[in-house]
Amino acid sequence: MPSEKILEQKKAVVAELSDRLKNSVAGVIVNYKGITVAEDTKLRKELREAGVKYTVVKNTLLKRACEEVGLDGLTPVLEDTTAIATSAEDYVAAARILCGFAEKNKKFEVKSGYLDGEVIDMDKIIGLSKLPSREVLLANVLGAFQAPIASFARAVQAIVDKQEAPAEAAAE
């Protein structure tokens, strides 16, 4: 039987994981077995820069946290080595980075994920990974809004130019 101190530490870890799962919009669970320290360091740096929190966790502790927040659908994949990446704001960052990493490193495997408190299948995770970043999507939307306005401005300028040309010819 573990000591009270160890039990309290484990309860604290489960509580922190539960809170993290509740307060994130998306998360991805991976099997990181077989990657080098250099690859792991590079992956962690990329995730950190994207605002994604990535940690290695014990399966039993993550299982308890998932059960507490209603993500029971994640528990069947909690085997072997497990790490979880969660994002509090960006829906696609974790999936995009981890799926891209998994394509380059065949030993690295994306196991499962969730979105807005619902477990999603691998097809949805792959679909999320193919979406552009939030900044690119916003730029596309702004470009779509700007295009009609710019066309209208060019049309008005062409009308003004046509009216000025006869006036200048008459003045000469």
Side-chain angles (χ1 to χ4, degrees):
M1 184 86 185
S3 70
E4 279 297 314
K5 183 178 179 182
I6 292 173
L7 278 175
E8 290 303 317
Q9 289 173 342
K10 288 182 178 183
K11 286 180 184 177
V13 170
V14 170
E16 188 271 327
L17 277 171
S18 297
D19 188 49
R20 190 168 141 197
L21 292 171
K22 280 185 222 170
N23 296 322
S24 61
V25 294
V28 177
I29 296 176
V30 297
N31 179 353
Y32 63 90
K33 190 176 189 174
I35 65 171
T36 66
V37 172
E39 291 169 334
D40 186 54
T41 303
K42 184 178 175 185
L43 175 64
R44 285 175 184 266
K45 180 178 185 278
E46 189 177 353
L47 288 165
R48 194 171 34 256
E49 288 172 352
V52 176
K53 189 170 183 182
Y54 176 83
T55 47
V56 171
V57 292
K58 290 188 175 234
N59 290 323
T60 54
L61 300 179
L62 183 56
K63 181 178 180 180
R64 288 182 191 261
C66 288
E67 289 170 351
E68 279 185 21
V69 297
L71 292 171
D72 297 334
L74 295 175
T75 57
V77 300
L78 299 179
E79 298 173 347
D80 294 326
T81 58
T82 301
I84 185 166
T86 57
S87 178
E89 297 174 1
D90 193 341
Y91 284 88
V92 300
R96 184 174 23 86
I97 294 168
L98 293 172
C99 287
F101 189 80
E103 285 178 12
K104 296 174 193 164
N105 300 286
K106 297 304 175 195
K107 295 176 185 174
F108 189 86
E109 171 195 11
V110 175
K111 294 182 184 183
S112 187
Y114 66 93
L115 194 64
D116 283 334
E118 296 291 324
V119 177
I120 57 175
D121 60 16
M122 282 304 296
D123 291 336
K124 287 184 183 175
I125 294 171
I126 292 168
L128 279 175
S129 73
K130 299 199 184 310
L131 288 175
S133 68
R134 183 175 188 269
E135 291 77 20
V136 172
L137 286 173
L138 286 174
N140 289 343
V141 168
L142 289 175
F145 285 144
Q146 186 180 9
I149 296 168
S151 296
F152 177 72
R154 283 192 293 276
V156 169
Q157 187 62 45
I159 292 169
V160 170
D161 290 345
K162 279 184 181 178
Q163 289 177 350
E164 287 178 358
E168 288 175 4
E172 292 176 358

